[in-house]
Amino acid sequence: MTMADPWRTADAVIVGGGPAGAMAAIRLAGAGRRVLLIEREALPRYKPCGGGLVWRARQNLPIDITGCVEQECRRVLISYRSLEREFAVEDGQPLVSMVMRADFDRRLIEHARTLGAEILEGSDAWRLKAWRDRVELDVGGRPVRARWLIAADGAASQVARQAGWKAFRHLVPAIECELPADRKTCRRFADVARFDFDFPPDGYGWVFPKREHLSVGVGSFGTLVGRRPPESLKRTLADYLHRHDLPEPAPDQEHGYVIPVAPRPGGVTRGRVMLVGDAAGLADPVTAEGLSHALQSGVMAAEAIIAGDADDTACSRYAGRVARDLLPELQRGRWLGRLLYGSGTLRNALLDRHGQRIAGKMVRIFRGESRYRDVRASALRMLQDIGRPGGA
């Protein structure tokens, strides 16, 4: 930057220092692009999130995160309150790696920095202007100009609002707490990722073990089936904690947030702006797990810029990959989500007869060995079996 040219310039600006933004920065910086990543808060910062990193996401990371894994869960336990039944799946390799997002995000960002990405913490991005050949924005009072902008700033994306995208139609409200626990309590939940469906009735509760505490929360998926969320998720969380003989958290230990489980209206690109991760609405519609597609979409956006910068096809390349590789899977997931959270009678008949098989298929998705396309096909066959005389 010179006195004659006050603009701070980059090939790509990334807004948001979560996994999607960090992966985009890593891929772009590794390819020699000038990258500026803007994070609103100082790192490391607390991030409301269960912190369950499924194996399909972990195996594609560019760094070894063993040092920040709080616990490895080789067992998944899925229970259904309305059936009073539970199904367990166990494996020799980790199915879910439990991390604290502050540490996990920081490690990815530091890797991006070592590759040459410039990281600007404690700054917001405002006054976005998109031109035919560039984007311009104000970052902490300083003008920035880039050829491409990647919005990785979450469900409440400021970039998406400034660029003219509409709000999400389907949001899952959730509340969680990081609950201190003694050794006896930690041992009781050790090494198991627990999912308790029907708590609330159109959602599930979870208990994720960490080193010296538990991440416990509840979320409501009623939006998928046209229902309103419970009047008080805090009360539901209190009931859920009581069910597992866990103490209620202090008020400052509870954190509420929303997770988009359907893509943002208007697509994932506009002009020279790309939406990734939760800003695009790419969380899993069945589990609300967002890390897998956040990491994947960040890489997709970066690779689209690398391949399409010269001929200005980056946004169309990115939109095409999302449409081909992510959206069909999300659509099939929403079908399964409506089945699991909507029709209690039909769902219970299905789970009563095939619950263990379905649990196993869900874990195969965690491992990256299966997709919702396969689960949907199996579920349809199971439903046909129930519909036959004597089938249920």
Side-chain angles (χ1 to χ4, degrees):
M1 184 174 73
T2 66
M3 293 300 294
D5 181 11
W7 291 96
R8 187 176 191 168
T9 61
D11 294 317
V13 170
I14 302 167
V15 180
M23 286 297 287
I26 288 168
R27 186 68 182 88
L28 285 165
R33 299 303 197 270
R34 294 174 301 165
V35 180
L36 173 63
L37 186 147
I38 303 160
E39 166 57 39
R40 182 174 58 185
E41 301 181 45
L43 297 169
R45 80 293 187 247
Y46 177 76
K47 174 70 175 178
C49 176
L53 183 68
V54 297
W55 185 252
R56 67 176 176 181
R58 183 175 177 179
Q59 65 183 341
N60 293 319
L61 291 175
I63 58 172
D64 181 7
I65 62 159
T66 302
C68 73
V69 174
E70 300 264 320
Q71 280 207 37
E72 300 282 23
C73 293
R74 292 175 170 81
R75 189 166 180 254
V76 171
L77 186 64
I78 300 174
S79 78
Y80 293 90
R81 187 184 188 188
S82 59
L83 288 174
E84 296 186 351
R85 293 187 63 183
E86 63 182 33
F87 308 97
V89 181
E90 198 163 350
D91 199 288
Q93 73 177 22
L95 297 172
V96 186
S97 301
M98 298 299 173
V99 300
M100 292 299 294
R101 282 289 303 278
D103 192 14
F104 177 68
D105 292 4
R106 178 184 61 81
R107 290 185 183 228
L108 289 176
I109 289 293
E110 288 305 318
H111 184 58
R113 198 194 303 267
T114 64
L115 293 173
E118 183 180 0
I119 312 299
L120 187 60
E121 304 174 35
S123 295
D124 274 333
W126 293 103
R127 291 191 285 276
L128 169 66
K129 293 181 180 180
W131 306 97
R132 184 183 62 81
D133 61 344
R134 67 190 185 279
V135 292
E136 298 173 356
L137 62 161
D138 181 289
V139 180
R142 302 175 65 181
V144 173
R145 176 181 289 165
R147 285 185 53 77
W148 307 99
L149 174 59
I150 298 176
D153 50 343
S157 172
Q158 295 177 0
V159 172
R161 289 201 303 271
Q162 292 185 70
W165 267 280
K166 295 182 180 179
F168 287 111
R169 297 192 186 103
H170 298 291
L171 291 168
V172 167
I175 185 171
E176 69 157 7
C177 60
E178 306 292 345
L179 194 67
D182 56 31
R183 289 185 178 180
K184 182 178 179 180
T185 302
C186 284
R187 284 197 299 269
R188 181 155 60 98
F189 294 95
D191 306 322
V192 179
R194 183 180 190 102
F195 301 86
D196 293 305
F197 285 80
D198 307 329
F199 223 118
D202 52 9
Y204 72 86
W206 66 89
V207 182
F208 289 173
K210 304 297 173 67
R211 285 196 184 102
E212 298 178 348
H213 73 278
L214 303 172
S215 290
V216 187
V218 294
S220 169
F221 287 72
T223 181
L224 287 178
V225 292
R227 296 179 188 156
R228 292 184 177 180
E231 291 185 4
S232 175
L233 276 180
K234 293 186 67 172
R235 190 180 308 121
T236 303
L237 177 61
D239 292 343
Y240 183 63
L241 291 166
H242 179 73
R243 178 182 178 88
H244 288 296
D245 195 25
L246 293 170
E248 291 193 27
D252 62 350
Q253 293 172 336
E254 294 181 332
H255 305 277
Y257 53 100
V258 293
I259 306 166
V261 289
R264 188 184 290 272
V268 296
T269 65
R270 180 165 295 182
R272 290 180 169 265
V273 182
M274 309 177 194
L275 304 181
V276 296
D278 279 358
L282 302 179
D284 188 299
V286 177
T287 64
E289 184 268 324
L291 290 176
S292 297
H293 289 160
L295 295 164
Q296 191 175 359
S297 62
V299 171
M300 286 179 176
E303 290 181 345
I305 290 174
I306 294 167
D309 187 25
D311 58 2
D312 280 349
T313 61
C315 278
S316 61
R317 287 174 182 267
Y318 174 59
R321 282 198 66 182
V322 170
R324 182 180 68 249
D325 298 339
L326 294 183
L327 295 188
E329 180 74 351
L330 293 173
Q331 184 177 14
R332 294 174 184 118
R334 285 192 296 277
W335 179 90
L336 185 60
R338 287 190 289 269
L339 174 64
L340 291 176
Y341 300 114
S343 176
T345 302
L346 182 61
R347 185 209 67 173
N348 285 353
L350 177 67
L351 294 172
D352 190 50
R353 187 173 179 87
H354 300 289
Q356 187 63 48
R357 288 177 60 194
I358 292 173
K361 289 180 181 297
M362 288 300 301
V363 169
R364 286 180 61 83
I365 289 177
F366 288 180
R367 287 196 297 238
E369 298 172 357
S370 186
R371 297 170 66 86
Y372 281 129
R373 174 184 58 197
D374 309 313
V375 177
R376 184 178 186 272
S378 296
L380 286 170
R381 289 193 297 269
M382 294 174 192
L383 289 169
Q384 290 172 355
D385 177 53
I386 291 172
R388 296 189 189 100

